[in-house]
Amino acid sequence: MDQLTLAQARSWIDATASVIAENAPHLSELDQAIGDGDHGANMTRGFTAVVKKLTDGAKTDDLGGLFKLVGMTLLSSVGGASGPLYGGFFLDLGKQCAGKQTLDAQALTAVLESGLNDIKRRGKAEIGDKTMVDALTPAIEAMKAASHDVTSATRAAAETARDAATKTAPLLARKGRASYLGERSIGHEDPGANSMALLLGALAGVCHE
């Protein structure tokens, strides 16, 4: 597939909502070990709200409008640290995609990398801090190294993010609520890295259809 279309981006949001809801107990279980225990519930509430707005007929004439709606809704409906981070991520995607109906693999990679930089700015997190950055950073690098079609690039991102999320377990948390635990945070996967892996997995699934 050469281009991500507006219709496929909408399908990505729907698929993300479904997979987040399906995995909500696992995400919250991960969060119980090193956080507030509500990551799954918060993310489900946010994406459920997004899907409701889209189903109710919210106008999204281009990719920028779609991602802006997602970002604003997540900001207003997701609690904890994840709301500003995921909300800001999608708002940044919205800015990058203003007026665009499609994205090729190179453009999609650049847009996601800009979103990553927004997360890093907001969360003041870097690779190795045991956050969603640890899943998204290598995923974007994998996209850059993949072939120049959207299907291959998103599949590489999803596989890399899934592997990277599991590799957050031995890391010492340096940001967020988990950082308060010090060395007790070691041995647990980061819930944010796992939800980011689900998000990228949903994207790959839509682009593979």
Side-chain angles (χ1 to χ4, degrees):
M1 191 176 82
D2 294 330
Q3 304 276 338
L4 176 74
T5 66
L6 176 57
Q8 287 164 328
R10 166 68 192 272
S11 294
W12 172 32
I13 301 306
D14 288 338
T16 298
S18 295
V19 76
I20 290 289
E22 183 182 336
N23 287 272
H26 178 59
L27 292 174
S28 289
E29 183 181 344
L30 292 175
D31 199 30
Q32 283 169 3
I34 59 175
D36 293 328
D38 55 4
H39 186 60
N42 285 343
M43 292 294 290
T44 299
R45 183 170 61 251
F47 276 96
T48 298
V50 170
V51 170
K52 185 178 188 308
K53 285 194 176 183
L54 291 171
T55 303
D56 288 347
K59 282 184 68 63
T60 53
D61 295 329
D62 57 27
L63 289 168
L66 173 64
F67 293 143
K68 181 180 179 181
L69 181 143
V70 174
M72 293 296 290
T73 306
L74 293 180
L75 274 177
S76 64
S77 59
V78 179
S82 300
L85 294 175
Y86 272 109
F89 172 75
F90 275 102
L91 284 177
D92 190 83
L93 266 57
K95 291 177 188 174
Q96 301 301 317
C97 295
K100 295 182 179 178
Q101 295 291 328
T102 62
L103 294 171
D104 63 18
Q106 187 175 4
L108 178 59
T109 303
V111 164
L112 292 175
E113 186 167 32
S114 180
L116 165 64
N117 290 333
D118 187 86
I119 289 173
K120 291 166 71 173
R121 280 194 302 272
R122 288 174 187 266
K124 298 179 173 56
E126 296 293 338
I127 192 83
D129 284 344
K130 201 184 183 92
T131 71
M132 64 179 73
V133 170
D134 290 298
L136 186 53
T137 301
I140 289 169
E141 292 305 311
M143 290 183 78
K144 291 178 181 178
S147 64
H148 294 295
D149 69 275
V150 169
T151 301
S152 299
T154 55
R155 184 187 298 124
E159 292 172 353
T160 301
R162 178 71 266 146
D163 182 57
T166 65
K167 289 180 178 176
T168 59
L171 298 177
L172 174 71
R174 298 193 185 95
K175 296 294 177 182
R177 183 70 176 267
S179 64
Y180 302 156
L181 297 176
E183 292 192 359
R184 284 182 294 156
S185 67
I186 295 173
H188 303 283
E189 292 180 24
D190 180 67
N194 274 269
S195 59
M196 180 59 72
L198 292 172
L199 185 92
L200 294 174
L203 176 60
V206 166
C207 292
H208 187 62
E209 292 175 355

